[in-house]
Amino acid sequence: MHKETLIRFFQNTNLISFSSATEIAAQFSSKIILKNQFQLTAGKICDEYLFLEKGYLRAFANNTEGNEITTGFYSQGQIIFEVSSFFNRTRSQENIQALTDCEGWVINYEQLNNLFHTLPEFREFGRSILVKGYSELKNRMLSTITESAEVRYKQLLMAKPEIFQYVPLKNIASYLGITDTSLSRIRKEVSKRK
């Protein structure tokens, strides 16, 4: 794997120059995560900040009955890490698992902090990633409260049209906060209207 995609990702934010993007990318190491392998398991401290170049991952936690509840889906071109565990150095309550074979680039907590302290451009980049992540989380939470399951399904389909190729229906249903049966019904109704 070559780092061109990673460098381009940093540059496309319009916050990082080519020379700084190249310097930052040099700190990242390649990582392969095979299908079903875990990038992070609950109970561990998240120590890797991952840029996903290829593949699909999901984050999930277990509810009080032990059922897996999907909390996020990640595809190529995204930064993936469990924010609270990574920055607070606490044990994660989430798991992050590969749904396909994945390739990406990682940097550890210590290296990332070093970049934050030495490169103001990277500090701005990191801030923008956190703000974007927080906004998405807030919007998802509000959508769960204010939108119907069908609307949430359509929003997910618009945001991630490829999702049904990689993700089992039960994971999509738990992410939407509905049962598998409800998801099947909604999909049928929506496809009839097309």
Side-chain angles (χ1 to χ4, degrees):
M1 286 194 322
H2 301 286
K3 295 185 179 177
E4 288 84 9
T5 307
L6 182 60
I7 292 167
R8 212 169 29 252
F9 173 73
F10 291 133
Q11 280 193 280
N12 286 344
T13 63
N14 296 319
L15 296 169
I16 297 178
S17 66
F18 177 76
S19 61
S20 291
T22 305
E23 184 182 343
I24 293 162
Q27 300 295 311
F28 282 71
S29 304
S30 66
K31 179 156 191 179
I32 292 174
I33 311 160
L34 299 177
K35 183 178 179 176
N36 297 322
Q37 279 188 331
F38 285 83
Q39 167 64 12
L40 175 66
T41 53
K44 305 270 187 196
I45 295 173
C46 180
D47 198 50
E48 288 186 332
Y49 187 88
L50 168 70
F51 170 76
L52 186 62
E53 187 164 335
K54 292 180 187 166
Y56 223 89
L57 294 116
R58 84 170 172 122
F60 67 94
N62 293 90
N63 68 11
T64 53
E65 287 86 41
N67 300 312
E68 292 180 3
I69 306 297
T70 301
T71 54
F73 297 112
Y74 306 99
S75 53
Q76 66 186 35
Q78 288 187 281
I79 295 286
I80 303 157
F81 67 116
E82 203 275 273
V83 179
S84 180
S85 174
F86 188 85
F87 286 114
N88 295 324
R89 312 311 296 149
T90 55
R91 295 181 189 282
S92 176
Q93 292 184 44
E94 276 187 308
N95 300 280
I96 301 175
Q97 185 179 27
L99 294 170
T100 65
D101 290 345
C102 297
E103 295 177 14
W105 302 95
V106 294
I107 190 169
N108 69 29
Y109 174 79
E110 192 176 307
Q111 292 169 306
L112 187 91
N113 269 321
N114 186 46
L115 285 173
F116 280 155
H117 293 301
T118 57
L119 289 171
E121 287 174 289
F122 190 68
R123 198 165 40 247
E124 276 305 299
F125 163 80
R127 187 183 64 76
S128 75
I129 292 289
L130 289 175
V131 167
K132 184 179 178 208
Y134 176 75
S135 296
E136 288 171 359
L137 180 65
K138 184 77 171 180
N139 288 337
R140 180 164 174 252
M141 184 185 76
L142 289 171
S143 175
T144 303
I145 296 166
T146 63
E147 306 287 356
S148 69
E150 183 176 322
V151 169
R152 293 195 309 273
Y153 164 77
K154 287 178 179 175
Q155 289 170 341
L156 180 62
L157 203 53
M158 274 184 32
K160 296 184 181 285
E162 75 291 348
I163 198 165
F164 290 97
Q165 291 177 271
Y166 304 109
V167 180
L169 286 181
K170 66 178 183 175
N171 297 152
I172 295 170
S174 78
Y175 178 77
L176 293 171
I178 58 177
T179 63
D180 303 11
T181 309
S182 295
L183 178 58
S184 294
R185 180 183 45 76
I186 290 167
R187 289 184 74 201
K188 281 179 193 162
E189 288 171 7
V190 169
S191 66
K192 272 189 227 171
R193 287 186 220 129
K194 285 184 179 179

